[in-house]
Amino acid sequence: MISLDDITLSLQYSSNEIKKDLTKYLEFNLLEFTAENQYSKDNARIWEVNLRVPYQHSQASGNLTLVVRDSHSSDSTTTHLIIAKEANDEAPFFDPVPSSVKSFHGDDLFIQTSVKGSTPLIVRWFKLNPYSSEFIEIVDDDKFTIHSNGSLSILDTMEEDEGSYRVEVANNAGSAKVDIEIEVIQRIDLVIVKPLPRKTPVSHGKDLDLEVTVYAAITSEDDLTLSLGHSLKGSYKDITDYFTYTISEEDDVDDRGDDGRTWVIKFIVSYPFTDDLGHLILSIGDEYSGGITTTKLFIGGDDEIKPYFDPKPEDVVSYHGQKVLIDAGAKGSAPIKVQWYKLDTETSEYTEIMDDAKYTLHSNGSLGISDSETADSGVYKVAISNPHGAATEEIKLEVLSTDLIIIKHLPEETVLMPRNDLNMSILFNATVTSMEKDFTISLGHSSRGIYEDLTEHIVYEMTKIDRNDHVITWKLDVLLPYPHSQSSGDITLSVGDSHNGDITFTHIVVGEDGYNVAPFFDPVPKSVATFIGDNVLIDTKAKGSTPLMVKWYILGTDSPGFTEIEDDGKYEIHSNGSLSIKNVLKDGNYWVVISNSAGTTSEDVKVSTVQRTDLVIVKPLPFKTYLVPEKDLHLSIAVNASITSTEDITLSLGRSLRGVYEDLNDYITFNISEATEQFNNVEGSGKIWNIDLELPYPFSQASGDLTLSVGDSHSGAITTTKLIIQQEDDLLPFFDPVPKSVEAHQGEDVIIDATPGGSPPFTIRWYRVESEPEEVQEIVDSSDYKVYPNGSLAIPDIDADKSLAIPDIDADNEGTYRVVLSNGDGSTSVDIEVTVLGIALVIEKQLPEEIIIAPEEDLNLEVIVSTATSTLEDDITLSLQYSSN
C-alpha cells in the first residue's frame, strides 16, 4: 500500500529560467478514492492531492505549474495566478537601468541601479549557471552585497564571477527584470604593436594625420591616456592640447589567447605645430602600464619622397620546416616597385624571385617563404624604386636543422625469457616540424652474419616528454611480439626524420627451458610518489632461473646503513618481489636484491610523500575558441595539483547547445606534462601541469559551450569556452545534436530528431536493427513509421528536418534504430535505443485556467491523479513552479 510516507513534495519559485526551492513552506495532504468514480480506470489508483501555500510566499502574479511524477512518468497542470492589487499601486521599475560592465581581475565592482514603485519592493539578484543554463539566486555574503536600492557589489572579482546576471524587482502591482553581462579582464602590459613610422613627411600649412595600434586589456577606450610632445635639439615642448584623436577596437586581430584587445588610435596634429622639424613623441598608457613611440619629421610632400625601408629588413635565423617572413617596409611616394633576389653561390649572381607556391611577395615589400629548408639558406637582396630614386638592402637567411639524436640508448644486453614479447624503450631529441611529418623507424636482427628485417612485425608508440625551443624530447616504446622475438643475437633499432637519423643496439639473450638464467627485474621497480597517509605498492617481478631469493632493505634515519625489511603489519613482501607499504608518513630510500645460483642484481627505489592540496586551474580555456572547418580542435590548460603521477588526473569534456548536452569523452585524446613556466599567486604543495587536449574532426564541428572538468582523487575544477565556427564550407556530415536514445510510454507519439550538419546536400536513411539473428531492415513510411520529409531522398536545404516519427508506440517498437547520414564528402551513423515504458501517470482533474486571490490570502490548490498498478510501490514527487509574465 502507498501511504503519506511514500510521497515527497517540492515547491519551487521560478521566473523564466530562475528557480527557488520553497518546499519548506508547503503544506499538503493526500487522499485515495476507494469507490468507483468518474476518474476510475483499469489498473490505476486515484488520488486527491490538496496543497496550501501560505500568503507570505504566494503574493506574486504569474503562472503556476504543478508537476506530478512517479518512477517513470510525469504529468503537469498550469494555472494563471492573479493577485488583486490596491488601486494606487505602481508597478516596479529600474531608474537608472543596470548595464553590462567590465572589471579587472581582483578589483571590486559596483553595479549601480535604483528600484522604484509601490512598496514593499522585493529585489533579487541571480547568476546564470553556464552548465545547467539556470539562474541561481545570489545571497548576501563576504563576496556579494545587495544594497537596499537594488545595486549589487562584488568584491575581488575573479574569472568565475564572469557571466550573465539578472536582477528582478517585484511588488503587488507586478514585476520587472534586467539581464546584464559581467566580463572580468586579466591585467596585461600594454604593447604598441604598430608604432609610428620611423620617418614622417610634413607639408607646409597642412595638418598631420598619424595612426598607431596597441594591444591592451582595458574595459573601454576611456581607460587609455595619451600625451604628445615635440623634441628638437634638446628642447622639449608638450603639445598634447593641440592634437585630437579617436580610439576604436579592431575585432579578431592579434588574438594572443588572453583578455587583451587590439585598439587603433588615429590622431591629427594641427597646423602650425606641424611646421617644426624634429621628433614627435607619443606616450600611450592605461592605469597599469604604457609605452612610447616616436617619429622623425622631415619636409616633403607625398609626391616627392624617395623610397626607403621602415623597418629595414634584418638577417633571419629559422628552423627546418618553419614559415619564414623577412619583414621589409617599403615606404615613399607611390608607385613603389619591389623586387627580391637570391644569390647563386655557384655563379655569384643574383636570381630574381617570383611569386609561386614557395615564395610570397607581400605588397609592403616583405618576403614570405613557406616550409623552409636548409637549401633556402643564403644571401637575399631586396630592391625598391619609384620615380624619385631607389634603395636596396642585403639580408642573410640561415635555416637550421636539428639532428635527431638518441639520448637514452638500448641496454648493452637484454635477457629475454622463452615465449615472451620483447619490449624496448629509448629517448631521442628531434625538431618539432620534421618529427610530426616524416618519422621513420626500422628494426633488424643479425646473428652469425645473417640479417633479418623485423620492421613489419613491430608496434611502436611515441610520446612527447619535454620541449626546449624548437627541439622536442620523444619517448619511443617498441614492442616486438613473440615468436619474432625468440632469437638470440644483435637487435638494431634505427630512427630518423626527413634529413638524418641515429641507431642503437642491444644484444639479445634468450634463455632456453632448463637454462640457468641470471636474475633480473621485469618490470624494473621505479621510485614512486604518494600522498601522506596512503598505501603504496612498489611493483616489480623477479625473474630468472628458480629458486629466486628476494630481500628488501630500508635506509635507516637514526642509524647508518640499510636494515632488512620483514613481513609485518607495515610491510608485505609479495611472492613476485613487489613491496607493499601501509600508511606512508614520510620519505624513504629502499633497496631490493634478488639472487639465484646464476648471480645477483639489485635496484634502488625512493618513496616520496606529497601533502594533498585542492586542484586549481591556473590557466583556463579562453573565453572564445574559433573552429576551422575540417580541422581538429586543440585546447590547452594548466592546473596546480598535488598528484603523484599524471595518471591521477581525470578529464571530462562535454558540449552544450540550446539546452542539449553532449558527452565528448569517447573522442578526446590528451597529454599531461609538468609545466616549466611559472604562475603568480599559486599556493600549496602541488606542481603545475600542462594539459594539451585534442578533439578530432568531425566531433569538433559544432558551436556551443564546451565544458572541461579536471579532477584528481579528491578535488576538481571546471573551465569553459564558447565554440564559434568560422565558416561552413566542405564539411563531412555530422549530427548536431547527436540523436539520443529515448524512453516513451505505451501509446505516446515519439519523434527521434536527427538534425544534419556539414555540407549539403544530404541523404538520410533510417534502419531497424535486430540483434538475434543480426538483421538490418530499412524503414519506409507505413502505419508504424514516418520518415520526414520524404523517406530517404536527398535534402536540398541544410535546415530540412529529417526526423523519424513513431506514432502510438507499443512494445513491438522497442529496440535498436540506426540513422545513416551522408553527403558528397563522406558518411556517419548513430545507433539509438528505444525503450517502451508502462502506462503513464495522468492528472485527471487539472488546475483551473485562472485563480484570483486577495493580498495576504493563502493559496489553496487541488488536483486528482491516476497512477498505474505497477508504480504503486514507487514514490510520487510533486513540484510547484512559479514564472512571471
Side-chain angles (χ1 to χ4, degrees):
M1 288 289 294
I2 191 169
S3 68
L4 290 180
D5 295 336
D6 298 312
I7 304 297
T8 58
L9 298 178
S10 64
L11 177 66
Q12 292 188 337
Y13 162 89
S14 68
S15 177
N16 293 338
E17 303 92 341
I18 305 168
K19 296 182 180 180
K20 183 176 181 181
D21 191 352
L22 300 176
T23 304
K24 61 182 178 181
Y25 306 118
L26 182 64
E27 301 173 9
F28 69 95
N29 61 55
L30 185 70
L31 175 66
E32 182 180 7
F33 289 95
T34 56
E36 290 288 328
N37 57 70
Q38 58 180 319
Y39 306 112
S40 298
K41 60 175 67 174
D42 293 338
N43 300 323
R45 297 171 66 180
I46 311 301
W47 298 85
E48 179 182 277
V49 183
N50 296 285
L51 304 98
R52 174 178 172 271
V53 184
Y55 76 88
Q56 297 93 330
H57 309 289
S58 62
Q59 294 295 298
S61 298
N63 294 318
L64 276 178
T65 301
L66 176 66
V67 181
V68 186
R69 297 183 178 88
D70 61 17
S71 61
H72 68 280
S73 59
S74 65
D75 198 2
S76 64
T77 177
T78 299
T79 184
H80 184 67
L81 181 65
I82 299 176
I83 309 299
K85 60 182 180 179
E86 301 294 337
N88 297 327
D89 281 351
E90 180 183 15
F93 61 96
F94 297 96
D95 183 22
V97 177
S99 56
S100 296
V101 293
K102 297 180 180 179
S103 174
F104 284 113
H105 182 282
D107 283 359
D108 296 339
L109 180 62
F110 180 71
I111 305 172
Q112 183 177 11
T113 187
S114 183
V115 293
K116 305 290 177 67
S118 298
T119 57
L121 290 165
I122 300 175
V123 179
R124 291 186 175 95
W125 276 91
F126 305 85
K127 185 178 187 298
L128 180 67
N129 184 333
Y131 314 114
S132 63
S133 299
E134 294 182 346
F135 278 93
I136 307 301
E137 185 169 1
I138 296 170
V139 296
D140 271 337
D141 56 19
D142 295 338
K143 181 77 173 181
F144 298 97
T145 301
I146 301 175
H147 300 274
S148 58
N149 68 346
S151 300
L152 176 68
S153 294
I154 306 176
L155 300 181
D156 191 22
T157 53
M158 311 295 286
E159 285 82 356
E160 56 266 28
D161 298 321
E162 193 170 66
S164 300
Y165 288 72
R166 173 173 292 174
V167 56
E168 284 197 347
V169 58
N171 63 11
N172 287 337
S175 63
K177 66 180 179 183
V178 175
D179 290 347
I180 65 169
E181 296 291 326
I182 294 179
E183 182 178 355
V184 179
I185 297 175
Q186 188 71 40
R187 294 187 187 274
I188 62 173
D189 288 339
L190 179 145
V191 179
I192 299 175
V193 295
K194 180 185 175 184
L196 294 173
R198 188 168 58 89
K199 294 181 179 179
T200 299
V202 295
S203 300
H204 177 70
K206 294 183 179 180
D207 295 340
L208 181 61
D209 295 329
L210 294 169
E211 178 181 309
V212 298
T213 303
V214 300
Y215 188 79
I218 59 175
T219 56
S220 74
E221 59 269 21
D222 295 336
D223 293 337
L224 285 179
T225 58
L226 289 85
S227 65
L228 188 67
H230 178 268
S231 174
L232 179 63
K233 298 178 179 178
S235 175
Y236 178 82
K237 178 169 62 176
D238 188 346
I239 59 171
T240 303
D241 294 337
Y242 305 102
F243 82 105
T244 58
Y245 62 88
T246 60
I247 302 174
S248 59
E249 184 176 357
E250 191 165 343
D251 294 333
D252 301 330
V253 176
D254 198 15
D255 187 359
R256 307 185 183 189
D258 52 30
D259 287 326
R261 299 290 186 271
T262 301
W263 302 85
V264 177
I265 304 171
K266 298 181 179 180
F267 62 97
I268 299 174
V269 184
S270 303
Y271 173 80
F273 297 97
T274 58
D275 266 7
D276 293 332
L277 300 181
H279 288 85
L280 279 181
I281 304 171
L282 177 65
S283 300
I284 309 170
D286 54 25
E287 64 175 349
Y288 181 68
S289 59
I292 294 176
T293 177
T294 65
T295 184
K296 183 177 181 180
L297 304 178
F298 66 94
I299 301 297
D302 289 342
D303 57 350
E304 55 185 49
I305 303 175
K306 294 180 180 181
Y308 64 96
F309 294 100
D310 185 15
K312 286 186 177 182
E314 298 179 347
D315 293 343
V316 176
V317 176
S318 182
Y319 284 85
H320 174 89
Q322 285 192 313
K323 292 182 180 180
V324 173
L325 177 66
I326 305 177
D327 192 15
K331 303 292 176 62
S333 299
I336 299 177
K337 182 179 180 181
V338 180
Q339 293 172 290
W340 276 90
Y341 303 88
K342 186 175 187 296
L343 182 64
D344 188 326
T345 55
E346 295 183 359
T347 64
S348 298
E349 295 181 355
Y350 279 99
T351 302
E352 187 171 0
I353 295 172
M354 310 303 291
D355 245 335
D356 56 21
K358 178 75 173 180
Y359 298 101
T360 301
L361 303 178
H362 297 278
S363 58
N364 69 344
S366 300
L367 175 65
I369 305 175
S370 63
D371 199 15
S372 62
E373 303 172 325
T374 53
D376 295 320
S377 298
V379 178
Y380 290 75
K381 181 173 73 173
V382 56
I384 57 175
S385 61
N386 67 5
H388 309 291
T392 61
E393 289 288 343
E394 285 189 348
I395 308 97
K396 182 179 179 182
L397 171 63
E398 185 177 6
V399 180
L400 304 177
S401 61
T402 302
D403 289 340
L404 183 149
I405 300 175
I406 297 175
I407 58 175
K408 178 189 175 186
H409 286 264
L410 296 175
E412 292 184 4
E413 184 175 272
T414 300
V415 178
L416 184 65
M417 296 303 293
R419 294 175 295 280
N420 280 6
D421 299 335
L422 173 60
N423 292 280
M424 297 171 284
S425 179
I426 66 170
L427 299 178
F428 63 89
N429 289 337
T431 55
V432 175
T433 53
S434 59
M435 290 313 305
E436 290 178 343
K437 291 183 178 179
D438 40 25
F439 171 72
T440 59
I441 181 173
S442 66
L443 187 75
H445 175 270
S446 61
S447 178
R448 299 185 180 94
I450 300 176
Y451 179 82
E452 180 184 5
D453 189 347
L454 301 175
T455 305
E456 64 178 322
H457 304 298
I458 65 173
V459 179
Y460 68 90
E461 181 180 6
M462 291 203 316
T463 306
K464 294 180 182 179
I465 300 300
D466 192 16
R467 178 170 183 162
N468 183 11
D469 198 7
H470 299 278
V471 177
I472 281 187
T473 299
W474 299 84
K475 180 185 179 187
L476 175 65
D477 295 306
V478 182
L479 168 68
L480 179 62
Y482 170 82
H484 306 290
S485 59
Q486 296 296 300
S487 296
S488 297
D490 293 322
I491 287 287
T492 303
L493 176 63
S494 302
V495 290
D497 57 17
S498 60
H499 62 283
N500 78 304
D502 202 355
I503 297 176
T504 182
F505 307 90
T506 186
H507 182 68
I508 301 295
V509 177
V510 179
E512 301 177 356
D513 293 335
Y515 179 77
N516 198 16
V517 179
F520 63 98
F521 296 98
D522 183 20
V524 175
K526 297 180 179 180
S527 295
V528 295
T530 185
F531 294 112
I532 293 176
D534 280 2
N535 301 332
V536 69
L537 172 68
I538 305 175
D539 188 26
T540 187
K541 283 188 178 180
K543 295 188 176 180
S545 298
T546 55
L548 287 165
M549 181 178 292
V550 181
K551 291 187 178 182
W552 278 89
Y553 301 85
I554 183 173
L555 181 64
T557 55
D558 299 327
S559 59
F562 283 88
T563 302
E564 185 175 353
I565 294 173
E566 301 290 341
D567 268 348
D568 55 21
K570 179 75 172 180
Y571 300 100
E572 180 182 357
I573 301 175
H574 300 274
S575 58
N576 67 349
S578 301
L579 176 68
S580 292
I581 311 173
K582 294 182 179 180
N583 191 26
V584 179
L585 300 177
K586 60 183 179 180
D587 296 352
N589 293 289
Y590 295 82
W591 182 37
V592 56
V593 180
I594 57 175
S595 58
N596 64 9
S597 58
T600 301
T601 187
S602 64
E603 290 288 341
D604 292 314
V605 179
K606 182 176 181 180
V607 175
S608 303
T609 54
V610 179
Q611 183 68 46
R612 292 186 190 273
T613 60
D614 286 343
L615 180 145
V616 178
I617 298 176
V618 296
K619 177 188 172 185
L621 295 175
F623 180 70
K624 294 180 180 179
T625 298
Y626 291 91
L627 296 172
V628 179
E630 299 187 1
K631 298 293 185 182
D632 300 340
L633 173 61
H634 297 275
L635 301 170
S636 178
I637 67 169
V639 300
N640 181 46
S642 56
I643 60 174
T644 56
S645 76
T646 56
E647 295 177 354
D648 293 338
I649 290 182
T650 59
L651 299 177
S652 174
L653 188 70
R655 175 171 48 217
S656 60
L657 179 65
R658 303 185 186 97
V660 179
Y661 181 83
E662 181 182 6
D663 190 335
L664 301 173
N665 290 326
D666 292 340
Y667 313 118
I668 62 173
T669 58
F670 57 90
N671 181 61
I672 304 174
S673 59
E674 189 171 349
T676 56
E677 64 268 39
Q678 299 294 320
F679 292 84
N680 295 327
N681 302 321
V682 175
E683 299 178 352
S685 60
K687 295 181 180 179
I688 306 297
W689 302 88
N690 285 329
I691 303 176
D692 298 309
L693 182 142
E694 177 180 290
L695 178 62
Y697 171 82
F699 305 103
S700 60
Q701 297 298 303
S703 299
D705 293 318
L706 201 67
T707 303
L708 177 62
S709 301
V710 190
D712 56 19
S713 60
H714 70 287
S715 61
I718 292 176
T719 177
T720 64
T721 184
K722 183 178 290 295
L723 299 180
I724 300 172
I725 298 182
Q726 292 179 309
Q727 57 187 15
E728 298 285 353
D729 296 330
D730 300 328
L731 295 180
L732 287 171
F734 60 92
F735 293 104
D736 184 16
V738 177
K740 302 292 185 182
S741 296
V742 296
E743 294 182 347
H745 296 282
Q746 184 173 333
E748 290 182 344
D749 294 338
V750 171
I751 295 180
I752 305 174
D753 186 21
T755 304
S759 299
F762 301 104
T763 299
I764 296 185
R765 289 186 172 89
W766 282 90
Y767 300 89
R768 183 74 182 267
V769 182
E770 301 292 344
S771 57
E772 294 182 1
E774 185 173 352
E775 181 182 353
V776 178
Q777 183 177 359
E778 185 170 358
I779 295 174
V780 296
D781 276 347
S782 65
S783 59
D784 293 327
Y785 302 102
K786 183 173 182 59
V787 180
Y788 295 101
N790 189 18
S792 58
L793 297 178
I795 302 178
D797 182 356
I798 192 169
D799 293 325
D801 182 16
K802 199 64 175 179
S803 302
L804 175 66
I806 309 175
D808 194 18
I809 193 168
D810 59 30
D812 293 338
N813 301 121
E814 190 169 71
T816 303
Y817 293 77
R818 178 173 299 160
V819 56
V820 180
L821 168 65
S822 59
N823 64 6
D825 300 308
S827 65
T828 186
S829 66
V830 175
D831 284 359
I832 303 104
E833 294 295 329
V834 174
T835 304
V836 180
L837 304 173
I839 299 173
L841 177 148
V842 177
I843 297 179
E844 305 290 351
K845 178 183 177 181
Q846 305 276 333
L847 294 175
E849 292 185 1
E850 185 175 272
I851 298 176
I852 301 176
I853 61 174
E856 301 187 3
E857 179 182 346
D858 297 340
L859 174 63
N860 295 283
L861 304 172
E862 177 188 286
V863 298
I864 295 177
V865 301
S866 63
T867 61
T869 303
S870 60
T871 66
L872 287 180
E873 300 302 323
D874 301 325
D875 292 340
I876 293 179
T877 302
L878 304 181
S879 66
L880 186 64
Q881 295 184 346
Y882 165 83
S883 62
S884 63
N885 295 326

